[in-house]
Amino acid sequence: MDNVRLSDFWRLMDDEFGAGYSRVLASELVLSELGGLSAQAALSSGIEPRLVWSAICEKQDVPASRRLGRDIAPKK
């Protein structure tokens, strides 16, 4: 996952953790890989969304098979 936009980051978070819990997780979970910042603080300080997503995946033990997001069928 080379380039993750902020909108992709939130889609990945919502898909993996649910829309409500993803916001709580982003503001409360301390990510030691990112200097002890929360995801929200890291994003606000300019850390790339892909690095924040990767740190969350590591901390929350998200399986590699789900780190690129769920498969979404194209709209017809």
Side-chain angles (χ1 to χ4, degrees), residues 38-67:
S38 68
Q40 191 66 53
L43 292 168
S44 294
S45 70
I47 296 175
E48 293 180 37
R50 74 175 173 83
L51 296 176
V52 178
W53 174 244
S54 178
I56 289 172
C57 287
E58 287 298 318
K59 182 85 173 188
Q60 295 297 109
D61 295 322
V62 175
S65 63
R66 292 200 317 251
R67 292 187 181 197

Side-chain angles (χ1 to χ4, degrees), residues 12-22 25 53 56-57 60 62:
L12 290 165
M13 288 287 289
D14 290 349
D15 285 351
E16 184 62 32
F17 303 108
Y21 184 60
S22 67
L25 198 62
W53 174 244
I56 289 172
C57 287
Q60 295 297 109
V62 175

Side-chain angles (χ1 to χ4, degrees), residues 4-14 23 43 49:
V4 175
R5 295 179 304 208
L6 190 56
S7 59
D8 293 330
F9 170 82
W10 288 114
R11 180 186 51 78
L12 290 165
M13 288 287 289
D14 290 349
R23 300 315 191 262
L43 292 168

